[in-house]
Amino acid sequence: MEESRPRRAQPAPARIRPVPIAVTPEGFWCCPSPAALHKSLKNPHHHHGHAGGNSHSHSHSKQQRKIPSAPPSVAPSVQNAPSVTDEPGRREAPDEQNAAAAEIAADKRPEQAGDAEAQQHKICVGFGQPETSDLTVMLYGKEGITVRMSVHRDVLSGSSAFFAEKLSDGDNGHGGSLVPCVEIHDCDDAEIYVETVGLMYCDEAKHKLLKQNVSRVLRIMKVAELLGFHACVKSCLDYLEAVPWVGEEEDSVVSSIRHLQSKSYGVSPLLKRVTSDSPYSPTDTLSHIMEMVLKSNDDRGRREMKALVLNLLKDSSRCTDGTSDICCELFYGSCRGCLERLQPLFVEASEAGFPSQVTRQITLETDNILWLVEILVNQRICDDFVVMWASQSELASLHAKLPIASRHTVSSITARLFVGIGRGEMLPSKDTRLLLLQVWLQALIDDYSWLQCSCRSFDRKLVEEGIGQTILTLPLEDQRSILLSWLGRFLKLGDNCPNLQRAFEVWWRRTFVRPYVNQAR
């Protein structure tokens, strides 16, 4: 009697994972996102019941009742369909020796067997009603995702140049099939392909894009261009022209439509949002903005707009297309204008009985100059302004004649330049640094107590460090004369005078402790 041995179980066929699909009442397809497809691929029991086929049939029929479908005359409906490559009904009995060898190999390499089983779990999504369609479109995406669409060749060929060309070939069928099939392989965005084909059934695609975001419309436009769906591309452009672009969307839109300029889609309205044919150059516009800010009299408006323009100029500090010299001249032209307005105000304030409005104007012009200095520092072009300010000997001589309440804000300009030199933000020449100290240091000392009390932004330690560092950049003899002059003032004024003790200590060591030249000799 023939020996009986247990027969190996037949390999399970590829399992089809149903995924949630929806169709709007208007016939607009809503394909599941790739995340939903991947979730179905990783969770085999996510959409299958544990009780067998009846549970699956019940849940699937419940889903079909829940999701509305459009009539065939409007657009294809949606259904879950089996995979074209995987046939659940076919089972081949393997050879017993091969089965035994496969069993041994599976025992040795269980992880490889698991990978092979995972590869069989492909997803096939079916769209449309096969009984009413005359064309099948197969989309092959990533990770085994296959989309089969039962559609109508007259709709697709009339809307898409790609399908018109495919369907105009003599052999549209595959293997003698009665219904022709068009295959599209390596789809990076199968979800959007399905949605774009669905838009071919809409009379006005632009209205179907209203609830979409910019990123998705760009994806639809890309696929529509590949399929030669020109009406959809035009609808996407109309949508993009009308909606605002937020954040990085602007770069994405511009990069997506630039290559369409050579085609007859009309992308000029979109590009006009970021480019201009105006005869006014950016430099003229910047000049107008600065003029308005400098002439403003409202404190809050001036303060907020100065901070805004300063930050914007800081972000775009590198001027392009050869406008660097033009911007530099613009800023220095504004500085000269402020100094020209400041000098007659000083003359008027030096006379007895001058109106109180003059003090207000001096404060405004001083604030303007400080703002311009910050711009020049950020642009790294402040050296020439140090020369300009150090040359204002007439303005410095008038300074002593003004009431301290009217003049002390001007000394804040000198303090800012000393801070900039101490930080290395500006690199004026030795003669300019010496002239700046000779012309304006005494005025700064005279106003020092008022600056500490009246200017909230005044940082005493920072200013004293800047003055000391500026003095120490000079030749030793110049250091000596300036520091000895400061010492006499400090002994009389105390805290009402800048404290330059640290600079005095460095000068002392250079003079008495470590005379480098004498050591070298």
Side-chain angles (χ1 to χ4, degrees):
M1 185 171 60
E2 183 179 359
E3 182 181 358
S4 63
R5 51 179 158 178
R7 301 191 59 179
R8 178 176 173 81
Q10 300 294 337
R15 303 178 66 181
I16 308 302
R17 303 296 179 198
V19 295
I21 307 167
V23 177
T24 63
E26 296 83 5
F28 190 55
W29 296 344
C30 300
C31 184
S33 65
L37 297 177
H38 298 163
K39 183 177 181 181
S40 299
L41 184 65
K42 294 179 181 179
N43 301 324
H45 300 291
H46 184 67
H47 297 289
H48 290 269
H50 296 280
N54 293 335
S55 175
H56 167 63
S57 301
H58 176 71
S59 62
H60 182 52
S61 60
K62 182 179 180 181
Q63 181 186 6
Q64 285 186 336
R65 290 195 302 270
K66 185 178 181 180
I67 300 174
S69 60
S73 59
V74 179
S77 62
V78 178
Q79 64 180 8
N80 292 330
S83 172
V84 176
T85 57
D86 301 329
E87 298 180 8
R90 294 182 57 187
R91 293 188 179 183
E92 298 180 2
D95 184 77
E96 293 181 355
Q97 296 180 355
N98 294 337
E103 182 177 4
I104 296 173
D107 293 337
K108 291 182 178 180
R109 294 171 300 189
E111 66 280 355
Q112 295 183 3
D115 294 341
E117 182 181 358
Q119 291 177 359
Q120 291 182 347
H121 296 325
K122 296 184 179 180
I123 300 175
C124 181
V125 183
F127 285 82
Q129 295 179 342
E131 63 273 13
T132 63
S133 65
D134 56 2
L135 176 65
T136 300
V137 176
M138 298 298 303
L139 303 175
Y140 299 97
K142 297 179 179 180
E143 298 186 16
I145 298 174
T146 303
V147 180
R148 182 177 66 186
M149 293 183 286
S150 298
V151 291
H152 306 83
R153 61 181 299 163
D154 58 337
V155 175
L156 270 62
S157 61
S159 303
S160 165
F162 170 81
F163 287 112
E165 180 182 357
K166 290 290 185 181
L167 297 175
S168 65
D169 297 339
D171 184 15
N172 292 325
H174 293 275
S177 176
L178 296 177
V179 179
C181 178
V182 176
E183 296 183 351
I184 303 177
H185 296 270
D186 300 327
C187 292
D188 293 335
D189 206 346
E191 172 193 1
I192 299 299
Y193 267 89
V194 174
E195 193 161 349
T196 305
V197 172
L199 287 171
M200 296 180 186
Y201 285 82
C202 302
D203 295 333
E204 183 57 59
K206 183 173 67 173
H207 295 159
K208 304 299 180 182
L209 302 175
L210 288 177
K211 295 185 178 181
Q212 305 296 330
N213 55 38
V214 172
S215 175
R216 191 172 184 89
V217 170
L218 289 175
R219 292 164 60 193
I220 294 174
M221 186 176 69
K222 179 181 179 180
V223 174
E225 184 185 0
L226 293 174
L227 296 179
F229 189 6
H230 303 301
C232 183
V233 174
K234 186 65 172 61
S235 296
C236 291
L237 292 174
D238 292 341
Y239 168 91
L240 295 172
E241 193 277 332
V243 300
W245 306 335
V246 181
E248 297 179 355
E249 290 178 349
E250 179 173 313
D251 294 335
S252 300
V253 172
V254 173
S255 61
S256 298
I257 66 176
R258 279 197 181 277
H259 70 282
L260 298 176
Q261 286 182 278
S262 59
K263 302 179 182 180
S264 58
Y265 287 118
V267 298
S268 297
L270 279 83
L271 293 178
K272 283 185 177 179
R273 191 181 294 190
V274 294
T275 59
S276 175
D277 299 330
S278 172
Y280 300 103
S281 66
T283 305
D284 293 337
T285 305
L286 177 59
S287 176
H288 183 58
I289 292 172
M290 295 189 65
E291 183 180 0
M292 289 192 297
V293 174
L294 292 173
K295 292 184 178 180
S296 173
N297 290 321
D298 182 77
D299 291 337
R300 180 175 179 180
R302 284 164 51 88
R303 182 172 60 254
E304 293 187 1
M305 288 309 302
K306 282 183 176 181
L308 174 62
V309 174
L310 181 63
N311 290 331
L312 293 176
L313 289 173
K314 186 184 301 184
D315 293 338
S316 57
S317 59
R318 290 187 73 178
C319 297
T320 57
D321 59 31
T323 59
S324 177
D325 294 338
I326 300 176
C327 290
C328 179
E329 181 58 32
L330 170 63
F331 299 143
Y332 274 99
S334 298
C335 291
R336 286 189 290 268
C338 291
L339 290 175
E340 290 173 358
R341 292 189 293 271
L342 187 60
Q343 187 164 350
L345 291 173
F346 261 47
V347 172
E348 188 174 359
S350 62
E351 300 174 354
F354 67 93
S356 59
Q357 186 64 23
V358 174
T359 300
R360 166 70 174 170
Q361 292 299 319
I362 291 175
T363 302
L364 291 178
E365 294 301 336
T366 302
D367 186 63
N368 288 339
I369 295 175
L370 284 171
W371 179 57
L372 292 170
V373 168
E374 294 297 335
I375 293 176
L376 296 176
V377 169
N378 290 331
Q379 301 291 321
R380 301 179 182 179
I381 52 175
C382 196
D383 294 356
D384 290 340
F385 181 80
V386 183
V387 178
M388 186 183 300
W389 187 249
S391 303
Q392 300 297 318
S393 56
E394 183 177 356
L395 196 66
S397 62
L398 291 171
H399 182 274
K401 301 178 181 180
L402 268 67
I404 191 171
S406 302
R407 75 190 187 196
H408 72 278
T409 55
V410 177
S411 294
S412 59
I413 301 173
T414 305
R416 180 62 183 92
L417 295 182
F418 283 137
V419 171
I421 295 174
R423 288 175 171 176
E425 295 173 336
M426 52 197 76
L427 304 173
S429 65
K430 172 180 66 68
D431 294 338
T432 302
R433 299 193 302 272
L434 178 59
L435 184 62
L436 179 65
L437 288 163
Q438 292 174 343
V439 173
W440 285 108
L441 180 57
Q442 185 59 53
L444 176 60
I445 294 175
D446 294 341
D447 298 338
Y448 206 70
S449 60
W450 272 77
L451 289 172
Q452 296 180 74
C453 299
S454 304
C455 297
R456 291 180 296 177
S457 61
F458 186 81
D459 189 333
R460 174 171 181 166
K461 292 184 178 180
L462 198 62
V463 172
E464 291 172 353
E465 180 70 17
I467 298 173
Q469 293 294 341
T470 304
I471 295 173
L472 294 175
T473 61
L474 299 176
L476 196 62
E477 286 301 317
D478 294 326
Q479 297 177 36
R480 175 184 177 277
S481 61
I482 294 175
L483 287 172
L484 289 180
S485 175
W486 160 81
L487 181 60
R489 297 286 296 175
F490 185 75
L491 291 174
K492 293 180 181 179
L493 301 176
D495 287 341
N496 293 329
C497 181
N499 192 333
L500 306 181
Q501 292 185 37
R502 295 183 61 182
F504 189 84
E505 291 173 1
V506 174
W507 166 78
W508 182 277
R509 288 195 299 269
R510 290 175 178 177
T511 303
F512 300 106
V513 181
R514 292 183 298 183
Y516 295 98
V517 177
N518 294 336
Q519 289 179 1
R521 289 176 181 175

